[in-house]
Amino acid sequence: MDTILDYCLSYCCMCCGCYMARPYDDDAYEPLLQDEERAAVNELLTYLNREHEKKPVLTKQRLKSLCVLTYSDNADLHRSAALCLAEISERIMHPLTTEMMEPVIVLLESEDVETQKAASLAVSNFALIGPDSNKEIIVESDTLPILIRLLDSTDVEVQCNACGCITTLATSNVNKAKIVSCGAVPPLVRLAKESDIRVQRNATGALLNLTHLEKNREILVAYGVVKVFVLLLSSKDTDIQYYCAAAISNLAVDEKHRPFVVREGNHKVLKLLITLLESLSDKVVCQACFALRNLSSEGDNQLAVVEFGALPLLLQIMRKCSKETLAAAVAALRNLSIHKKNEIPIVEEGFIPELGRVLREPYLWDAHCHAAGTLRNLAAGSKTQIILEQDGLDSLTAAFIDLTSPVSVQTEVTAALAVIAGNTNARRRLVKLGNGRVFTRLVNLAAQSTSPEVQYNSAGTIGQLTQIELPTEIIESNLQAMLKYLGVFLESQESNFVHIALWTILHLVKDASFKKSFSECHLRHMVQNLYERPPDAPQVKQLAFEILRATE
């Protein structure tokens, strides 16, 4: 670029005095204008040849020189100005201004293809390399309509540059909406079907970014992007595969768009996405997993994905892929496990031990959430005993007692424990695990968690555990914390919190030490008040009555 630019500017400089005279009213002005052009060329050559200037500054004088070339009647000088801007755009670090965009816009609108190439490259670099404020200035300068017109260029390089710039601008939600409203979707869809791989790559990248905004999706679907994305899943280019899988994943977030996606080619999209699970590119595998996860929010798709052979591939991914891709694979498995008919295939494929391994790996928070959710789905069916036999419960509690785990993990793990604890064997196992540490952790979360969902799930699990005879030492060591959370629950405005507290107390008062403490503290008075309330909740009133009778 430097050599070409230097040659072009030098050539223009040498030829400046050779142009035929232009018709000005004052002949004396012609040499002055030529001198100004020559000076501008020299100024820019000196500027660009300063290799020591790692972060060049576009001063007012340099900007003026660019404008001189831009507004010249000489087409060669226009190309020179565009090349200068392309070179500057790769190195300049300070923010764009509207004044700097003025010559850029003029050059973008040139009829000369070479000028368009360099000017569109400059805009793309300004958007991609510079600060985020550059994107705002580019859009505010009404550059979008010009870039969209350039999408219809017959020159591949201009198409690529315009697509690339739109892709970068579309990283902002505000810009996503503006790009669509300016009419960019039809030409981008057309370019995504072009034979040139670079054009396809940039066009699908731009369309992907537009799918991130919910209100854009309906417009994109109406313009036929689904067919294009599904078709290009078969591309040999991994970037295009990635963009299309990610875009399909985004579209499949909306329930109304899933039928359009799956209907394309009679489940062709599911088969292609499953094929991509074998890709050597980790990022492609990751997005294919996410797309399958979102499409598998529908029951029929859950069955179809398993039928088409996804399970062995997901298991393989869980064993060998990166942290993010592992989480995506487990997320897909979680949705597949919702359907009862998939429970046996999932168990037979050997997922429970692998889910246990994932739960024991530290800091895989997203994967922990989905692994716990999968075990919960399997337990809600009829597979709790198998989970116990294959150490699924032990692994789940290993993640549960990890004090560093975030609320998201605590929520999913406690929800799974509450379901699994419906099994008598699971209750006995939970009480013994960690010498009572699991029970203590449940009580502490019920009493102290900032998440109402974690509190409720923990209390629900405790309630299940009280249906077996708890060791006296476990009750006594956790007595004060239990009284604390039960008091909080009894005061709650949520009837399900009150109900679970009463149900738990009714089982706990069978223990002498708990019964004594309960009768002597304020909790019995709270239960009395609940019993005396107007009969708007018959179950609450009945539970309160049974507790009062048991503690007389």
Side-chain angles (χ1 to χ4, degrees):
M1 173 71 84
D2 288 342
T3 304
I4 296 171
L5 187 60
D6 187 68
Y7 170 79
C8 186
L9 287 172
S10 300
Y11 175 78
C12 290
C13 187
M14 288 187 292
C15 294
C16 276
C18 300
Y19 294 138
M20 292 180 62
R22 284 163 285 185
Y24 286 93
D25 292 336
D26 185 356
D27 289 340
Y29 186 71
E30 172 63 15
L32 177 62
L33 185 59
Q34 290 180 349
D35 288 343
E36 186 179 30
E37 290 173 347
R38 188 179 294 107
V41 169
N42 288 331
E43 167 72 25
L44 292 171
L45 276 174
T46 302
Y47 168 49
L48 293 174
N49 286 331
R50 286 182 180 173
E51 294 183 5
H52 64 277
E53 232 180 269
K54 301 297 182 184
K55 296 181 180 179
V57 177
L58 194 58
T59 62
K60 286 185 178 180
Q61 180 58 43
R62 292 165 181 171
L63 181 58
K64 180 181 177 183
S65 297
L66 274 172
C67 289
V68 168
L69 302 190
T70 300
Y71 294 107
S72 166
D73 293 334
N74 184 338
D76 287 331
L77 290 180
H78 298 166
R79 295 189 196 111
S80 299
L83 285 167
C84 279
L85 281 165
E87 177 71 16
I88 290 167
S89 67
E90 292 180 357
R91 296 193 290 167
I92 197 165
M93 297 304 293
H94 68 78
L96 270 179
T97 63
T98 51
E99 291 79 9
M100 291 166 63
M101 280 300 298
E102 287 177 10
V104 178
I105 291 170
V106 172
L107 295 168
L108 280 174
E109 293 184 303
S110 170
E111 296 297 324
D112 178 68
V113 172
E114 296 303 317
T115 302
Q116 290 176 355
K117 286 181 185 178
S120 58
L121 177 60
V123 179
S124 185
N125 286 341
F126 282 135
L128 182 63
I129 301 172
D132 286 342
S133 60
N134 283 7
K135 300 181 186 71
E136 297 175 15
I137 293 295
I138 290 170
V139 173
E140 289 170 4
S141 301
D142 292 328
T143 315
L144 269 179
I146 304 170
L147 289 170
I148 292 169
R149 287 199 296 273
L150 291 178
L151 294 176
D152 291 323
S153 171
T154 56
D155 184 84
V156 169
E157 193 172 331
V158 173
Q159 292 173 347
C160 280
N161 291 344
C163 276
C165 187
I166 290 172
T167 301
T168 306
L169 294 176
T171 55
S172 153
N173 281 341
V174 174
N175 290 345
K176 286 180 179 73
K178 288 181 179 178
I179 290 167
V180 170
S181 65
C182 284
V185 175
L188 285 172
V189 170
R190 178 180 58 77
L191 291 179
K193 295 183 281 188
E194 287 290 324
S195 58
D196 188 281
I197 201 75
R198 296 172 300 163
V199 175
Q200 279 190 342
R201 188 183 298 130
N202 285 2
T204 51
L207 289 168
L208 164 61
N209 283 353
L210 296 179
T211 65
H212 288 295
L213 190 64
E214 183 179 356
K215 67 180 182 180
N216 280 350
R217 293 173 194 151
E218 193 161 346
I219 298 170
L220 289 162
V221 170
Y223 277 112
V225 295
V226 172
K227 188 171 185 178
V228 175
F229 289 144
V230 174
L231 176 67
L232 291 178
L233 285 175
S234 301
S235 171
K236 294 181 179 179
D237 184 84
T238 55
D239 286 331
I240 292 174
Q241 292 173 348
Y242 167 79
Y243 295 148
C244 292
I248 288 170
S249 177
N250 289 342
L251 293 176
V253 168
D254 297 326
E255 183 180 357
K256 61 183 176 182
H257 298 321
R258 288 180 208 134
F260 288 99
V261 176
V262 177
R263 194 183 305 149
E264 187 62 42
N266 187 25
H267 289 106
K268 179 182 178 181
V269 64
L270 297 180
K271 296 173 183 176
L272 288 171
L273 289 168
I274 291 169
T275 300
L276 290 181
L277 295 180
E278 297 184 89
S279 171
L280 297 177
S281 169
D282 191 75
K283 68 178 184 180
V284 171
V285 174
C286 185
Q287 288 305 321
C289 287
F290 280 134
L292 288 170
R293 185 270 306 270
N294 289 343
L295 290 170
S296 295
S297 298
E298 303 288 338
D300 290 344
N301 295 343
Q302 291 160 7
L303 286 174
V305 170
V306 171
E307 181 186 338
F308 295 150
L311 290 182
L313 299 175
L314 289 174
L315 186 62
Q316 187 178 1
I317 292 166
M318 288 172 61
R319 288 172 174 166
K320 71 172 188 178
C321 283
S322 67
K323 176 180 175 180
E324 184 180 359
T325 305
L326 165 64
V330 185
L333 179 69
R334 177 180 185 169
N335 275 7
L336 297 177
S337 70
I338 293 171
H339 205 295
K340 189 169 181 60
K341 289 184 179 179
N342 286 340
E343 290 175 9
I344 292 177
I346 289 172
V347 170
E348 290 182 346
E349 195 65 45
F351 275 100
I352 292 178
E354 193 61 27
L355 290 169
R357 183 193 65 78
V358 170
L359 285 164
R360 290 179 182 276
E361 286 284 328
Y363 308 118
L364 299 179
W365 306 133
D366 287 343
H368 287 179
C369 286
H370 297 306
T374 303
L375 291 175
R376 177 189 180 185
N377 290 341
L378 294 174
S382 56
K383 300 296 177 284
T384 300
Q385 190 58 41
I386 297 175
I387 291 172
L388 292 174
E389 292 169 0
Q390 298 186 5
D391 292 331
L393 180 58
D394 292 44
S395 299
L396 195 63
T397 54
F400 175 65
I401 61 177
D402 183 353
L403 300 179
T404 64
S405 63
V407 171
S408 58
V409 174
Q410 294 170 9
T411 301
E412 295 291 352
V413 171
T414 53
L417 289 175
V419 174
I420 292 173
N423 178 281
T424 301
N425 292 332
R427 292 174 193 148
R428 295 193 180 103
R429 181 68 182 153
L430 278 170
V431 171
K432 293 178 181 178
L433 278 171
N435 294 319
R437 287 173 62 201
V438 172
F439 189 88
T440 299
R441 175 82 165 140
L442 286 166
V443 173
N444 289 339
L445 286 176
Q448 300 171 12
S449 176
T450 57
S451 166
E453 194 171 356
V454 172
Q455 284 186 306
Y456 185 78
N457 292 340
S458 300
T461 307
I462 295 168
Q464 294 278 22
L465 297 181
T466 60
Q467 293 187 68
I468 63 172
E469 186 176 350
L470 294 173
T472 301
E473 60 271 19
I474 282 184
I475 293 178
E476 289 180 349
S477 62
N478 293 283
L479 186 57
Q480 294 307 312
M482 282 196 292
L483 294 173
K484 178 181 177 181
Y485 95 76
L486 290 169
V488 171
F489 274 48
L490 291 174
E491 289 180 330
S492 175
Q493 299 300 309
E494 298 290 336
S495 60
N496 54 343
F497 275 64
V498 175
H499 188 277
I500 193 68
L502 291 171
W503 183 63
T504 302
I505 292 169
L506 184 59
H507 289 90
L508 283 172
V509 293
K510 296 173 185 176
D511 178 85
S513 60
F514 182 86
K515 180 178 180 180
K516 181 175 184 297
S517 296
F518 171 79
S519 300
E520 293 174 352
C521 74
H522 65 292
L523 291 188
R524 193 177 192 284
H525 180 67
M526 293 174 71
V527 172
Q528 180 75 43
N529 289 341
L530 288 170
Y531 174 69
E532 292 173 358
R533 277 185 187 175
D536 55 342
Q539 288 183 323
V540 167
K541 193 176 184 69
Q542 180 62 34
L543 284 170
F545 171 73
E546 291 180 24
I547 292 169
L548 293 172
R549 187 174 61 181
T551 55
E552 287 177 343

